[in-house]
C-alpha cells in the first residue's frame, strides 16, 4: 500500500491571516498529488488572497458564501464527503468560534456538520497565540477531538518574534498523509534503527561506514504515515527527524544497543536498518594521536550483535523482528543464514555493490525473505521500498492474528 493524497477529497478552510498565501502553495501541491481540494474562505481570508487564486490552483470551485448556492446545502455536503478537513491558517477568532460551537459562516457551519477528521493549523501573532484565552480554546478543540498542529517559532509578518507562524508544507505533509491513510499500522509500536555507528579512535577520528540513514528514516516516516507510534534510534546522519517520530540519537554500537534494549520491551515491530560497526578500537585515546606515530596499529574488539541479542529475547507472539542484510555476494544464501541465526521473522537483503542500491543511494532493490516466502521487490525509491517492506510486515501480522 502506498500512502498518498491521490483521489482523496480534502476540504481546506482558509481564514483571515497573511499566512493564507502559504496555503495557496499547499493547495497547489495537493492538487499536483491528485487530491481533490475544495477551499472554503471566510470574508477576512478574502482580504488577503483572492478566491480566484485558490480556484486556479485547485481547479475547483471556491466556496465563500453560506447563502450563495441557494438550496444546495454545501455546508452539509462538503464536510460529509471529505476524507480530511484542514483549517489553515486558523485565526484566534475562528479557533474561539470552533471551541464554542459557533457557526456564523460557511466554514464554521461546515466544520460542525463534518464527519471527516479535522486538523486545525493556528497562525497568528505570538502574543495572541500564547494568550490564556487562545490556549484554553485550543485545549477545548483537542478535547473535542480536533487535531491541532503547533505553529512554528520565528519572525512574524508583524516583525514580532515568537510562536505563531504557519508551519512549512514539509512539516505538515506527513500529518495529513497519516490522516488520509488506511492506518494499517494503527496500534503498532514500531522501533526502527537507522544510520551508521561511529567507533572513536581519538577525539578527531572514528571507524564508521557509508550508511546515510535514508533507508531507516524512510521506514520510520512511512510507518508513522500508516498509523504507527514510531521510535527511531539513529546513528549520526544529516537527516531531519521525520514528523511525528520520536528520535533517539546515538553514536557508538554500545550506545545503540543501550537505546534499543530500552525501547525494545514496548515495541511490537522492530526493524533494524542500521549499519552497526562490527568492530571498535580496543582503546579510545583521550588525546588526538599525533602524526609522528606513523607505525600506529589499531587493535579491534568485536561489538555486540544487537540484532542477534534481540532475536534471543523477543516475545515471538507479540513482537515481529525484522533485520536487514547488506551483502556483496550470495545474497539469498547469506540472507537465509542471517534470518535463522538471528531468529528473525523477516529479513530485507540488499546488494551493496551496485550504485543505485544499498548505501547512500536514493533507491533500493530488496529481496524479502521470511519463513514462508521469498519476495523480490523492484528497484524503486527508498520511500516506496519502505512501503513495500511494511506491506509484508502487515501481512505477517495479519497471518499471526488469523492463522489459516
Ligand atoms: O543508510 P542508507 O545509506 O540508506 O543505506 C541502507 C543500508 C544499506 C545501511 C540498509 O539498507 C542495510 O542494509 N542495513 C543493514 C546493514 C548491515 O549492517 O548489514 P549486516 O548484514 O552487517 O547486518 C545484518 C543485521 O544485523 C542488520 O539488521 C544490522 O542492523 C544488524 N547488526 C549487525 C551487526 C551488529 N553488530 N549488530 C547488529 O544489530
Amino acid at each position: 500500500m502506498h500512502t498518498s493524497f491521490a483521489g482523496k477529497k480534502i476540504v481546506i478552510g482558509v481564514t483571515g491571516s497573511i499566512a493564507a498565501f502559504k496555503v495557496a502553495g499547499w493547495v497547489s501541491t495537493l492538487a499536483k498529488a491528485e487530491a481533490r481540494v475544495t477551499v472554503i474562505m471566510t470574508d477576512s481570508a478574502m482580504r488577503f488572497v483572492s478566491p480566484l487564486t485558490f480556484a486556479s490552483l485547485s481547479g475547483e470551485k471556491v466556496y465563500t458564501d453560506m447563502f450563495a448556492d441557494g438550496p444546495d446545502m454545501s455546508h452539509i455536503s462538503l464536510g460529509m464527503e471529505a476524507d480530511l478537513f484542514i483549517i489553515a491558517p486558523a485565526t484566534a477568532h475562528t479557533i474561539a468560534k470552533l471551541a464554542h460551537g459557533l457557526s456564523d459562516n460557511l466554514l464554521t457551519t461546515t466544520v460542525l456538520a463534518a464527519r471527516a477528521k479535522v486538523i486545525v493549523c493556528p497562525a497568528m501573532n505570538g502574543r495572541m497565540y500564547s494568550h490564556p484565552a487562545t490556549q484554553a480554546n485550543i485545549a477545548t478543540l483537542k478535547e473535542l477531538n480536533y487535531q491541532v498542529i503547533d505553529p512554528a517559532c520565528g519572525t512574524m509578518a508583524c516583525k514580532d518574534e515568537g510562536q505563531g507562524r504557519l508551519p512549512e508544507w514539509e512539516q505538515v505533509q506527513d500529518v495529513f498523509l497519516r490522516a488520509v491513510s488506511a492506518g494499517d499500522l494503527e496500534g503498532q509500536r514500531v522501533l526502527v534503527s537507522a544510520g551508521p555507528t561511529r567507533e572513536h579512535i581519538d577525539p578527531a577520528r572514528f571507524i564508521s561506514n557509508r550508511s546515510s540513514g535514508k533507508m531507516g528514516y524512510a521506514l520510520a516516516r512511512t510507518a508513522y504515515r500508516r498509523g504507527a507510534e514510531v521510535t527511531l534510534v539513529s546513528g549520526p546522519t544529516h537527516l531531519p527527524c521525520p514528523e511525528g517520530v520520536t528520535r533517539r540519537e546515538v553514536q557508538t554500537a554500545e550506545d545503540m544497543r543501550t537505546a534499543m534494549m530500552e525501547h525494545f520491551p514496548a515495541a511490537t515491530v522492530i526493524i533494524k536498518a542500521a549499519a552497526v560497526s562490527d568492530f571498535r578500537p580496543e582503546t579510545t585515546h583521550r588525546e588526538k594521536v599525533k602524526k609522528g606515530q606513523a607505525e600506529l596499529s589499531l587493535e579491534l574488539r568485536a561489538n555486540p550483535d544487537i540484532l542477534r541479542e534481540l532475536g534471543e529475547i523477543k516475545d515471538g507472539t507479540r513482537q515481529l523482528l525484522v533485520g536487514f542484510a547488506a551483502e556483496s555476494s550470495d545474497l539469498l544464501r547469506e540472507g537465509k543464514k542471517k534470518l535463522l541465526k538471528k531468529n528473525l521473522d523477516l529479513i530485507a537483503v540488499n546488494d551493496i555493490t551496485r550504485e543505485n542500491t544499498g548505501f547512500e543511494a536514493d533507491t533500493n532493490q530488496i529481496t524479502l525473505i521470511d519463513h514462508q516466502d521469498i519476495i523480490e521487490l523492484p528497484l524503486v525509491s527508498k520511500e516506496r521500498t519502505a512501503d513495500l517492506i511494511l506491506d509484508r510486515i502487515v501481512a505477517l501480522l495479519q497471518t499471526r492474528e488469523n492463522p489459516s
Side-chain angles (χ1 to χ4, degrees):
M1 191 172 300
H2 182 44
T3 301
S4 84
F5 292 114
K8 300 292 177 191
K9 288 185 183 158
I10 300 176
V11 176
I12 303 192
V14 182
T15 72
S17 151
I18 180 61
F21 81 92
K22 257 190 187 175
V23 177
W26 296 9
V27 169
S28 164
T29 306
L30 284 166
K32 281 185 196 142
E34 293 171 33
R36 195 170 155 202
V37 189
T38 307
V39 174
I40 303 175
M41 299 180 79
T42 61
D43 289 348
S44 43
M46 288 189 284
R47 290 179 172 247
F48 289 94
V49 180
S50 123
L52 185 61
T53 305
F54 286 111
S56 310
L57 293 170
S58 66
E60 300 283 338
K61 173 178 172 176
V62 171
Y63 292 80
T64 56
D65 186 348
M66 181 106 138
F67 304 103
D69 297 319
D72 189 20
M73 303 294 265
S74 37
H75 62 290
I76 307 291
S77 56
L78 284 173
M80 295 278 274
E81 289 164 10
D83 294 302
L84 174 64
F85 204 135
I86 299 165
I87 304 173
T91 57
H93 187 58
T94 293
I95 288 170
K97 286 200 278 187
L98 293 177
H100 294 89
L102 299 180
S103 55
D104 63 344
N105 60 17
L106 182 62
L107 173 59
T108 46
T109 314
T110 313
V111 176
L112 278 190
R115 261 205 298 234
K117 182 180 180 75
V118 181
I119 301 183
V120 180
C121 306
M124 65 196 76
N125 168 276
R127 269 170 288 123
M128 288 173 75
Y129 177 69
S130 60
H131 192 286
T134 309
Q135 288 302 309
N137 288 332
I138 288 175
T140 305
L141 288 190
K142 290 178 183 170
E143 275 165 31
L144 294 172
N145 239 355
Y146 294 82
Q147 187 173 347
V148 181
I149 297 185
D150 292 340
C153 295
T155 312
M156 275 156 285
C158 55
K159 307 282 183 275
D160 258 11
E161 290 280 333
Q163 186 177 12
R165 287 169 59 90
L166 190 73
E168 301 303 322
W169 173 251
E170 291 67 31
Q171 271 106 52
V172 293
Q173 67 166 332
D174 284 339
V175 180
F176 298 162
L177 276 170
R178 181 178 169 103
V180 297
S181 85
D184 55 3
L185 283 173
E186 216 179 301
Q188 299 295 335
R189 289 169 165 218
V190 177
L191 173 61
V192 181
S193 77
T197 63
R198 281 183 186 173
E199 312 299 327
H200 298 278
I201 298 169
D202 67 16
R205 306 174 180 98
F206 53 80
I207 300 173
S208 192
N209 58 62
R210 290 171 47 216
S211 172
S212 62
K214 287 177 192 170
M215 190 65 246
Y217 275 60
L219 280 157
R221 190 178 316 114
T222 47
Y224 168 77
R225 287 177 184 169
R226 293 168 72 149
E229 197 181 304
V230 185
T231 303
L232 174 64
V233 173
S234 172
T237 75
H238 296 292
L239 302 174
C241 181
E243 212 45 46
V245 168
T246 306
R247 179 165 68 172
R248 175 93 181 258
E249 292 175 83
V250 298
Q251 287 268 326
T252 65
E254 275 294 349
D255 295 342
M256 185 170 277
R257 178 180 177 278
T258 306
M260 291 298 287
M261 286 298 169
E262 204 176 293
H263 294 284
F264 181 73
T268 54
V269 176
I270 304 94
I271 313 175
K272 225 167 159 306
V276 184
S277 296
D278 286 316
F279 298 97
R280 65 175 184 273
E282 176 72 51
T283 319
T284 300
H285 297 269
R286 281 171 159 274
E287 306 282 335
K288 188 176 169 197
V289 177
K290 299 282 183 249
K291 234 199 295 193
Q293 291 173 250
E295 295 305 312
L296 179 79
S297 63
L298 268 183
E299 225 164 285
L300 299 177
R301 171 188 276 248
N303 266 329
D305 187 328
I306 307 166
L307 187 59
R308 191 169 179 171
E309 284 184 39
L310 298 179
E312 280 162 12
I313 59 170
K314 81 169 180 197
D315 175 344
T317 54
R318 196 180 61 82
Q319 294 178 308
L320 196 102
L321 186 58
V322 183
F324 267 74
E327 302 298 340
S328 50
S329 62
D330 270 336
L331 270 62
L332 274 187
R333 198 165 60 96
E334 294 303 320
K336 281 181 191 165
K337 241 169 50 186
K338 283 181 183 165
L339 178 79
L340 296 175
K341 196 168 118 194
K342 303 196 184 198
N343 191 24
L344 309 178
D345 299 289
L346 175 68
I347 192 157
V349 188
N350 48 196
D351 186 344
I352 54 165
T353 60
R354 285 162 56 191
E355 235 176 55
N356 50 7
T357 64
F359 291 115
E360 295 169 315
D362 289 324
T363 49
N364 212 354
Q365 199 272 302
I366 293 266
T367 304
L368 288 176
I369 309 176
D370 57 55
H371 298 283
Q372 283 99 48
D373 274 315
I374 297 179
I375 303 170
E376 183 115 352
L377 301 184
L379 173 67
V380 282
S381 70
K382 280 189 173 159
E383 198 162 292
R384 180 80 187 115
T385 300
D387 258 326
L388 294 169
I389 295 172
L390 292 175
D391 283 351
R392 187 64 193 149
I393 289 172
V394 168
L396 291 174
L397 289 170
Q398 280 167 354
T399 318
R400 220 178 238 188
E401 263 174 35
N402 312 302
S404 50

